[in-house]
Amino acid sequence: MMNSSTTFFSRRTIYFLGFLACAGLIAFALYLQHKLGEDPCALCIFQRVAVVALGVVMLLAGLHNPHDKGNQVYAALALITALVGGGIAARHVWLQHLPKDQVPECGPGLSYLMETQPWLQVFQNVLKGSGECAEVGWTFLRLSIPEWTLICFAGFLIVAIFQFRNRRA
């Protein structure tokens, strides 16, 4: 069984580092959008929401610095948020790798959907994807933004599992 005496960083520090990583991801997304002109599609926006939600959980956990049971609650919330965000990113990656003839047609924008439909229906429609979600813009080391986001969510998932198991001595 792990305890904080066997780890290099305290639980609180790990949560704060997780928060800083989420803040960095959002800052980079805003840089890509506003400086490089990479406008986000609906799935990108949902991934951003998941990163922000994860960052809030990590910040609250770091500020609260709970004991074992509270830590498990925060870690479970982080785990669920990372799974949801990772699922959205995985769906986005899948859409980007579809053959061109199988890519869904472009639909109405997210703002229009939000104005005309209940939020659950908006979420379902966005997850179906559209042609704009299948476009690959910025890449780094041959990986697209959703692929990098999926990798980040996988890392956050590992951290959440570690934190869930991380008990005080």
Side-chain angles (χ1 to χ4, degrees):
M1 177 174 293
M2 287 189 231
N3 62 43
S4 61
S5 65
T6 63
T7 61
F8 187 71
F9 294 112
S10 70
R11 286 193 309 212
R12 179 177 237 178
T13 301
I14 292 170
Y15 281 124
F16 279 133
L17 290 173
F19 164 74
L20 290 175
C22 289
L25 287 172
I26 293 300
F28 188 66
L30 292 173
Y31 169 78
L32 288 172
Q33 179 180 352
H34 295 290
K35 295 295 183 186
L36 300 183
E38 290 289 331
D39 288 329
C41 69
L43 285 174
C44 290
I45 292 170
F46 279 19
Q47 289 168 70
R48 287 184 188 185
V49 169
V51 169
V52 169
L54 185 59
V56 168
V57 169
M58 296 276 192
L59 178 61
L60 290 175
L63 292 172
H64 183 208
N65 195 24
H67 290 285
D68 289 339
K69 292 293 181 193
N71 177 61
Q72 288 187 324
V73 170
Y74 283 116
L77 288 172
L79 185 120
I80 290 166
T81 308
L83 282 171
V84 169
I88 295 168
R91 174 72 175 171
H92 199 169
V93 169
W94 177 77
L95 283 169
Q96 287 186 335
H97 286 86
L98 282 176
K100 289 191 187 286
D101 63 330
Q102 294 180 16
V103 172
E105 303 233 353
C106 288
L110 183 60
S111 59
Y112 175 78
L113 292 175
M114 300 276 295
E115 292 172 7
T116 61
Q117 298 176 352
W119 70 270
L120 188 57
Q121 190 174 359
V122 170
F123 188 72
Q124 290 171 341
N125 286 336
V126 168
L127 286 182
K128 289 178 186 172
S130 70
E132 70 175 356
C133 293
E135 294 177 15
V136 176
W138 181 88
T139 61
F140 180 67
L141 298 177
R142 295 187 174 176
L143 296 177
S144 67
I145 297 168
E147 290 168 326
W148 281 111
T149 306
L150 181 58
I151 291 168
C152 290
F153 277 122
F156 285 125
L157 187 64
I158 291 167
V159 169
I161 292 168
F162 174 79
Q163 289 291 77
F164 190 82
R165 297 177 49 118
N166 189 4
R167 306 221 192 273
R168 289 196 174 144

